[in-house]
Amino acid sequence: MKVILLEDVKSVGKKGDLVELKDGYAKNFILPKKLGIEATNENMNNLKLQKKNKEKVEKEQFEAAKALATEIEKMTVKLQIKGGEGGKTFGSISSKEIAKAVADQYGKEIDKKKLQLAEVIKTVGTHEVTVKLHPKVSTKLKVHVESV
């Protein structure tokens, strides 16, 4: 029996896959638990439409991420940190503070989880922070830190 999977099923297939299963397994396990539906012509057409829609949405997200990446490359975020004598600083700058500064200074919302800091910034100067906007799109954001 041919079945379209609605969920990932271990050792059978992933969501959206068309798989050939034994009749008993499909009728007694997969179909009653709503893990899949029978592969009729109507269901096959629905699957094709869903895949096309998913591809279209992913392409739009990719294009939006590329556009945002070009904007971010041009940005230089300015932050201030308390400093003492000899160039020592008190405290540090985290990804949360950088994301808030981007929103305040440029009006662009960047999720703090997308900012990839190896470690928090503790020194004065210009630093580059990697921003991963999409699995295929990442860019660099310049962060200029000044001492107060």
Side-chain angles (χ1 to χ4, degrees), residues 115-133:
L115 296 170
Q116 296 179 330
L117 286 172
E119 55 186 49
V120 291
I121 299 172
K122 294 184 177 184
T123 57
V124 176
T126 302
H127 304 273
E128 283 193 349
V129 177
T130 303
V131 183
K132 189 163 179 140
L133 300 169

Side-chain angles (χ1 to χ4, degrees), residues 15-120:
K15 179 179 179 179
D17 287 351
L18 176 67
V19 293
E20 180 75 34
L21 300 174
K22 293 186 178 184
D23 289 350
Y25 183 63
K27 288 179 182 175
N28 295 324
F29 183 73
I30 300 292
L31 298 177
K33 291 195 173 195
K34 306 272 189 237
L35 298 174
I37 54 174
E38 193 172 345
T40 61
N41 286 336
E42 182 182 346
N43 290 338
M44 293 293 290
N45 288 335
N46 288 342
L47 176 66
K48 286 179 186 175
L49 290 173
Q50 287 174 350
K51 283 187 177 182
K52 281 185 181 179
N53 187 33
K54 183 179 177 184
E55 289 173 5
K56 181 181 174 188
V57 168
E58 286 177 353
K59 185 177 180 183
E60 288 173 355
Q61 288 175 343
F62 177 70
E63 294 298 325
K66 280 175 53 177
L68 184 58
T70 56
E71 290 181 37
I72 288 174
E73 281 181 351
K74 298 173 187 173
M75 294 181 187
T76 301
V77 179
K78 294 180 180 155
L79 292 166
Q80 294 181 337
I81 189 169
K82 278 189 174 182
E85 293 180 22
K88 292 184 180 181
T89 59
F90 303 110
S92 61
I93 294 176
S94 65
S95 58
K96 181 179 178 182
E97 293 167 320
I98 296 170
K100 185 177 183 311
V102 170
D104 292 345
Q105 294 174 21
Y106 293 98
K108 299 284 180 193
E109 292 292 325
I110 298 177
D111 187 8
K112 69 178 182 177
K113 295 173 188 160
K114 295 183 183 210
L115 296 170
Q116 296 179 330
L117 286 172
E119 55 186 49
V120 291

